Amino acid sequence: MVASKKREKPWRTRKIKTDCCITGRTWRGDTKWKLLKNPISTIFDFVAVRGAETVNSMKTREDRLDMAEPIQQLTSNNQGRSQRQLIPFTLLGRKEKCGELLYEKRQYEKGRWACITMREDTYEQSICYGFMRIMRYICQQNSLGDYLGMTLPIVTVVRTNETHSAMSHDVTVAYFLPDYHQAQPPQPTDNEIVIEIWPATTVYTRPFTGPTNEVTIIDQISAMAELLDSPGVCVNDSFIVAGYTNPAHSNRQNEIWFLERP
């Protein structure tokens, strides 16, 4: 009698204990993810493999399962175009102390960004849904029906109260269009994603590592405000969190940006 061969299931369930790559919080329990034939390390691969709490924060089972779709599209549609363009800027100045970089002053030129503003029940949910929908636009859900290419950083615009003690759940996720799409941006099929022209802006940036959640962002805003010689020259209630590396990475590279007033 020949033993029957075990058929591999397309979904695997494991008991896990992991830290969410975005929020840094610990989540325990069962999670499922799709087995990808060619998993790739992009800034977004956390939603299919590592983002347990990200997936868990989705409202429905269908939402959770749908998170793997953009990753599959990136895998199959990028056709080797994995080079990532850094958003160009002009360095205007640096402040250091004992060899440690405290912050940089940069000038970013006018450019087109694909943006979506989410207003979910929690800050974490706003980020999760925003990233998922921007990913779909980058992957295929655009007027070209093609992978658009990756630029870094991916930024989130966060809003706080005047004392910087609380953050709004309204979060804008934004993707800078690559040079070859700046003149004629592919239009999103998602009618809540808009193409905006951001004016030339001077920003003060400070690097930090690790997860980005409401606590760490508030801490970084407070630390940056103390370092600036003249914090009053910057916008006081809107800030940008810029992410440069895969959010699943344990040593994620981020920056907090303060925007100089016009």
Side-chain angles (χ1 to χ4, degrees), residues 104-155:
E104 288 185 344
K105 182 178 181 181
R106 302 174 186 165
Q107 174 78 19
Y108 285 88
E109 298 305 320
K110 180 174 72 173
R112 288 179 169 83
W113 295 71
C115 311
I116 186 167
T117 298
M118 306 302 299
R119 301 173 182 87
E120 298 298 326
D121 295 337
T122 67
Y123 168 74
E124 287 83 1
Q125 284 182 337
S126 294
I127 288 182
C128 292
Y129 277 104
F131 269 116
M132 181 174 69
R133 291 168 71 172
I134 286 291
M135 280 190 288
R136 289 172 174 165
Y137 168 70
I138 296 171
C139 293
Q140 192 177 43
Q141 292 185 13
N142 55 71
S143 55
L144 297 179
D146 196 10
Y147 172 65
L148 301 182
M150 197 67 218
T151 61
L152 295 176
I154 295 290
V155 306

Side-chain angles (χ1 to χ4, degrees), residues 13-65:
T13 302
R14 288 182 181 174
K15 289 280 186 183
I16 65 168
K17 174 182 176 296
T18 186
D19 291 334
C20 176
C21 48
I22 294 180
T23 66
R25 297 179 180 177
T26 300
W27 182 88
R28 295 175 176 83
D30 292 335
T31 191
K32 295 183 179 181
W33 66 90
K34 198 153 188 177
L35 299 177
L36 303 181
K37 291 182 179 178
N38 299 299
I40 55 177
S41 177
T42 71
I43 197 168
F44 298 130
D45 62 4
F46 71 96
V47 293
V49 181
R50 293 286 301 279
E53 184 169 317
T54 300
V55 174
N56 193 49
S57 67
M58 299 294 100
K59 291 179 178 177
T60 67
R61 181 176 182 273
E62 287 72 20
D63 286 332
R64 294 194 292 269
L65 299 183

